[in-house]
Amino acid sequence: TKGDGTDTGDGLSRKTLTELPYAKMLNNVLPPTIRVLGWCPVTPEFSARFSATNRTYRYYFTQRHLNLSRMRDAIQLLVG
C-alpha cells in the first residue's frame, strides 16, 4: 500500500492507504502465457507451502497437436 498525508484541519494528519494494483503490475512483467488473476494479503507467519489448507491448479491447453488418447492413459497413472 502507499499513503498520502491528508491535513484534518486540527494540526493532525491522516494517511489514506490505497491498494496497489498488484495483479496488473505482475502481469506487466510476466510472459503472456502466465497470468495473475488475484491475490490476498496474509500474515507474516503464513507459508504458501505449509499453511495452505487446499490448492487448485488449472491448466489450459490449446487443441493443436495433442494426443488425447495418450493423455488419458497417462492420467490414469496418477489416480489413486
Side-chain angles (χ1 to χ4, degrees):
T1 58
K2 62 181 178 178
D4 56 4
T6 303
D7 186 0
T8 61
D10 56 6
L12 302 174
S13 82
R14 290 194 185 132
K15 286 201 176 215
T16 304
L17 296 179
T18 312
E19 188 174 287
L20 294 173
Y22 292 114
K24 182 178 180 180
M25 292 167 65
L26 289 169
N27 286 331
N28 284 336
V29 296
L30 288 169
T33 54
I34 301 173
R35 297 286 91 194
V36 174
L37 301 178
W39 73 278
C40 67
V42 296
T43 64
E45 297 78 29
F46 179 81
S47 164
R49 182 175 179 191
F50 299 111
S51 302
T53 57
N54 64 57
R55 292 176 180 83
T56 301
Y57 299 95
R58 292 187 180 136
Y59 299 93
Y60 299 95
F61 299 95
T62 61
Q63 291 291 330
R64 290 178 264 153
H65 310 295
L66 294 180
N67 186 330
L68 296 179
S69 176
R70 289 188 70 186
M71 290 176 75
R72 285 187 194 99
D73 291 342
I75 198 67
Q76 290 305 310
L77 300 173
L78 301 175
V79 175

